[in-house]
Amino acid sequence: MAEEVERTLAGVGGRLRALRTRRELTLAQVSRDTGISVSTLSRLESGTRRPALELLLPLARVYDVPLDELVGAPEVGDPRVHIRRIPHRGGLLLPLSRGANGIRVVKQILPPPRARERVELKTHRGNEWLYVISGRLRLVLGERDFVLEAGEAAEFDTRTPHWMGAADGTTVELLHLSGPEGQRIHLPELDA
C-alpha cells in the first residue's frame, strides 16, 4: 500500500506542470491565485516537495479539476453527467459536463426575443465557442452584429463586449463551451 501511495504522489508534479502549462499560467500567477509561494510550487512540480492536502486543494480549485485528477486516482463511479435544468434569461441552461477539464459544456435554450428587448453587452475573462443546433442566433460582438444559422459555430474572446439572443420569433438551441481565464478551445483530432 505504501509503495502505491508513493508511486501516485510521484506523478503529481508532472500533472501540476502540465495543467499550468496547458492553461498558459506562470508560477507567479498560480502563486497569486493560491497563496502558495513560487518556490513551493516549483518544488511540487519538480517532485522535490511532497504534495500535501493543504497545497493540493487550492491548486485543484485554481486549475478547476477534481482532486482525484491531480493525484491520478483511478476513475471510479458513474461517468454520466446528471443534467439539471437551470432557468436563465427566460430560457434554460442544461450543463452537459462537470467542467473537470476546465471546459464547461452547456446546452442552452434561448426563448424568442421579447418586445423591445435591450442588447446589453457584457465582458469577462475567457473564451467561448457556440454551435447552433436549431433556430437562428443573434450574436453581437462589439459593434458587429451576426446571425448564426443551425449548423454554424462561432468562437470569440469574451473580453470583447458581447451579447446573444434569438434572432427572430423562434427558440434557439445551442451548445455553449467556455473555458476559464482565456483558455482556448482545442479539439485534438482537429489540431493535426
Side-chain angles (χ1 to χ4, degrees):
M1 179 70 163
E3 287 178 19
E4 183 181 344
V5 169
E6 289 304 316
R7 272 194 314 273
T8 299
L9 292 177
V12 172
R15 281 188 286 284
L16 289 172
R17 181 177 288 114
L19 283 165
R20 182 178 58 78
T21 303
R22 199 173 331 145
R23 285 168 173 73
E24 299 178 359
L25 295 171
T26 65
L27 286 172
Q29 289 169 313
V30 175
S31 175
R32 183 193 67 231
D33 292 343
T34 62
I36 300 170
S37 73
V38 170
S39 64
T40 298
L41 290 169
S42 178
R43 288 182 293 156
L44 282 170
E45 286 187 3
S46 68
T48 58
R49 167 88 188 244
R50 184 180 172 104
L53 189 58
E54 63 269 6
L55 298 172
L56 294 176
L57 287 174
L59 289 166
R61 180 186 45 77
V62 165
Y63 294 138
D64 194 26
V65 297
L67 191 56
D68 288 355
E69 189 174 322
L70 279 185
V71 296
E75 286 195 32
V76 294
D78 188 347
R80 294 175 291 178
V81 175
H82 300 283
I83 300 170
R84 62 190 194 286
R85 300 164 64 90
I86 303 169
H88 178 70
R89 290 181 44 207
L92 284 175
L93 297 176
L94 303 144
L96 302 177
S97 72
R98 293 183 187 102
N101 61 358
I103 298 172
R104 304 255 184 234
V105 182
V106 174
K107 178 179 180 184
Q108 190 168 3
I109 302 171
L110 296 170
R114 297 181 303 263
R116 293 187 232 98
E117 183 174 13
R118 292 186 49 213
V119 172
E120 293 184 35
L121 301 176
K122 305 223 184 226
T123 63
H124 51 90
R125 294 187 339 190
N127 238 289
E128 293 184 1
W129 181 85
L130 311 171
Y131 175 80
V132 179
I133 299 169
S134 66
R136 298 176 71 226
L137 177 71
R138 180 178 177 205
L139 175 63
V140 179
L141 291 174
E143 296 184 16
R144 299 182 68 189
D145 206 322
F146 303 91
V147 174
L148 281 71
E149 305 284 341
E152 290 189 299
E155 181 179 16
F156 59 95
D157 183 325
T158 56
R159 290 174 294 187
T160 302
H162 61 280
W163 176 90
M164 70 181 111
D168 51 34
T170 61
T171 298
V172 178
E173 292 186 38
L174 64 135
L175 286 179
H176 188 153
L177 283 72
S178 58
E181 306 290 67
Q183 177 182 331
R184 303 282 304 176
I185 307 303
H186 291 287
L187 302 174
E189 59 273 8
L190 298 179
D191 284 345

